[in-house]
Amino acid sequence: MIALYFCKTEKRRQLLPEILRAEYGAPVQIIYGEGKPRAKNGEIFFNLSHSGGLCVIAVSPINVGVDTELLQTKHYKSILASLPAEEQREIAGDRSFFMHWTAREAYAKLRGIPVFALHRRLMYASGSMRLDGKTVPEKIAFCFERGAVTAVCAENTDFVIKTFHE
């Protein structure tokens, strides 16, 4: 089960070690560097994303990617025009655009690759992610909390929202 924790963006670096300790019962050494942050032992998986003042931290027993975007009107027409026609047909407004965008970002973050490196190779349509035209085994689930669209990507996307006292 994936645990999602929402917090203020400025608290993320302080809360991440505390959340990991609470989840795993012992301190977890976090390695920052190229790609996404990771636990030193490689058996603990987490990912985080922030938008505006909101941050989400996903903690999981399996590799996980997460992306969140505050639901707000943005100028995304140039990005929309670069998406495959099948994906463009499914996007009818801000919420559906952010669902597609966060799904792509969550998948890229799961893989530890910048989304723009995969942009032309990815398509999220009909509820599944495709890479180079082939459906990937990972699933996408969405959470609509705190005025944001949050996408979770993993082999199993069952999640629960947890709270951590800041």
Side-chain angles (χ1 to χ4, degrees), residues 46-118:
F46 65 93
N47 197 226
L48 54 109
S49 177
H50 56 89
S51 176
L54 178 68
C55 177
V56 63
I57 299 170
V59 181
S60 174
I62 59 175
N63 193 15
V64 64
V66 68
D67 189 58
T68 194
E69 289 287 339
L70 290 175
L71 191 53
Q72 56 192 337
T73 302
K74 284 193 175 180
H75 301 287
Y76 52 80
K77 301 243 187 263
S78 62
I79 295 172
L80 186 61
S82 71
L83 300 179
E86 183 178 348
E87 204 168 350
Q88 287 182 37
R89 284 191 294 274
E90 291 185 6
I91 296 172
D94 295 339
R95 182 176 166 134
S96 59
F97 171 77
F98 285 119
M99 287 175 68
H100 282 257
W101 185 255
T102 59
R104 291 164 153 270
E105 284 269 358
Y107 179 78
K109 290 174 77 177
L110 172 92
R111 294 285 163 227
I113 301 169
V115 71
F116 287 106
L118 294 175

